[in-house]
Amino acid sequence: MDYTRLGTSGLRVSRIALGCMSFGTPSESMPWTLDDDAAAPLFQQALELGITFWDTANVYGLGTSEEIVGRALRKYVRRDDIVLATKVFNRMHDGPGGSGLSRKAIMENIDASLSRLGTDYVDLYQIHRFDPDTPVEETMEALHDVVKVGKARYLGASSMYAWQFATMQHTAQANGWTRFVSMQDQYNLVQREEEREMFGLLAHQGVGGIPWSPLAAGLVTRPWGEQSTSRAKSNPSTDRQGRPLFLDSDKAIVDAVQRIAETHGVAMASVALAWVLNNPVVTAPIVGATKAHHLTDAVAALDIQLAADEVEALERAYTPRQPTYF
């Protein structure tokens, strides 16, 4: 495993992050999630591979992901050996502090997350989305207070427009409050819109990129049209706003991944992840795992050096599109 600093912060993380949305109570929309017993081998494998950066969120499994992660922390590893990340924003209940980024919501939800995780601090506390209904000043001061009382070591953000992120960073800097050190956004071979504005901003501000869905929910890990897993069969074709998650033109990209993987003698997932890791803004892609090979394929990506012509082949067919899920 390779380790690096998260952006220009002093926090060292593994270059592969374990995405814990895969763990929780299965639901109708997410029947592929794993309970404690099924997740246990993956936590142990992650530790054996040196994956010490674990990412979850309060909303994953409506809290059950945090509970499973917390039990794994107590059972398999020393708390201080893990960089633990969680998130706040999405609806946990109908009360006034049940969602959003108001001071009430942030203070209520950090305590609830810490209780479920069974720890007195998280290393990285992230806002899951931008909240248009709460003044930025209120959100950033509340997050700063969470850090100052020791409940979080660092702050991060996720999936928003670059102008929104810049506004929040500027507000924090202008008031002497804690700034974000990471951006968790959607980035993969078939969703590259972050390259237009967000990545330049991250590079300028020294913010680390920790992309979610680096494998496009598995789309780039298997031949085009193949639906051999329950996740592939249950995946929607659009986000909640009706924006397409993939285009017909993406077939050429997936075909290129397949050809290059065959040339290297590795899994398609390893090639697709190697491409993500090749971007200098990316610190650690977040890899959700439900099977052992998901983690071994991810770690194998660290050793793949893509040639310039291979990168060109992977990028050639990309078609501009709308960002999704925010």
Side-chain angles (χ1 to χ4, degrees):
M1 178 53 57
D2 297 332
Y3 300 87
T4 190
R5 291 192 303 159
L6 183 55
T8 55
S9 77
L11 182 63
R12 291 186 63 81
V13 297
S14 54
R15 286 221 69 199
I16 300 295
L18 177 66
C20 297
M21 189 175 76
S22 304
F23 311 136
T25 301
S27 64
E28 184 176 345
S29 61
M30 298 172 65
W32 38 267
T33 54
L34 307 179
D35 62 15
D36 288 81
D37 291 340
L42 294 168
F43 283 116
Q44 293 170 305
Q45 183 189 16
L47 292 170
E48 291 167 1
L49 291 170
I51 300 173
T52 54
F53 185 13
W54 296 2
D55 175 77
T56 186
N58 60 353
V59 76
Y60 296 163
L62 280 179
T64 59
S65 174
E66 288 182 326
E67 291 170 352
I68 290 172
V69 171
R71 287 190 286 267
L73 277 172
R74 293 188 291 277
K75 188 171 184 179
Y76 302 120
V77 66
R78 237 175 33 107
R79 167 66 187 91
D80 290 345
D81 291 335
I82 295 297
V83 174
L84 179 63
T86 194
K87 310 181 193 74
V88 58
F89 171 73
N90 287 293
R91 181 167 297 280
M92 295 298 289
H93 61 77
D94 292 333
S99 62
L101 298 176
S102 68
R103 170 172 285 273
K104 179 173 176 60
I106 288 170
M107 295 305 178
E108 178 179 315
N109 280 283
I110 184 61
D111 287 344
S113 286
L114 293 178
S115 177
R116 287 188 291 265
L117 289 163
T119 182
D120 57 4
Y121 74 98
V122 291
D123 297 284
L124 182 65
Y125 198 45
Q126 304 159 100
I127 58 169
H128 216 152
R129 292 296 186 271
F130 182 80
D131 183 359
D133 298 322
T134 301
V136 167
E137 291 81 3
E138 178 178 340
T139 294
M140 297 311 296
E141 185 177 19
L143 290 170
H144 174 72
D145 289 345
V146 168
V147 173
K148 299 317 288 184
V149 298
K151 294 180 181 180
R153 303 296 190 247
Y154 299 85
L155 299 176
S158 179
S159 289
M160 62 184 66
Y161 291 105
W163 71 264
Q164 295 170 325
F165 186 67
T167 299
M168 301 189 87
Q169 290 286 71
H170 174 74
T171 299
Q173 183 172 7
N175 289 279
W177 297 330
T178 307
R179 297 167 74 245
F180 298 122
V181 301
S182 64
M183 166 53 68
Q184 184 174 154
D185 46 10
Q186 187 182 23
Y187 185 59
N188 54 60
L189 276 164
V190 300
Q191 179 51 269
R192 294 170 49 196
E193 296 309 300
E194 295 297 281
E195 294 175 0
R196 301 189 186 282
E197 295 185 0
M198 182 63 80
F199 276 10
L201 177 61
L202 301 186
H204 176 70
Q205 297 194 349
V207 174
I210 50 176
W212 61 270
S213 196
L215 300 176
L219 182 72
V220 295
T221 68
R222 59 183 72 90
W224 183 260
E226 182 180 304
Q227 293 184 317
S228 56
T229 67
S230 59
R231 173 80 184 270
K233 293 173 184 174
S234 63
N235 272 342
S237 59
T238 67
D239 70 2
R240 288 182 291 273
Q241 287 74 38
R243 294 171 291 199
L245 300 180
F246 55 85
L247 307 175
D248 290 342
S249 59
D250 293 340
K251 180 181 184 302
I253 299 172
V254 175
D255 289 348
V257 175
Q258 185 176 5
R259 289 195 304 271
I260 294 168
E262 290 171 353
T263 299
H264 284 264
V266 298
M268 290 176 63
S270 300
V271 168
L273 201 60
W275 177 86
V276 172
L277 285 159
N278 190 54
N279 192 301
V281 173
V282 172
T283 297
I286 297 169
V287 178
T290 56
K291 298 181 176 64
H293 73 84
H294 293 160
L295 294 181
T296 53
D297 290 347
V299 173
L302 295 169
D303 294 324
I304 295 175
Q305 298 294 321
L306 295 172
D309 63 319
E310 292 175 327
V311 172
E312 194 278 332
L314 291 168
E315 296 181 351
R316 184 188 309 138
Y318 183 75
T319 302
R321 64 202 66 197
Q322 292 180 296
T324 56
Y325 287 115
F326 72 85

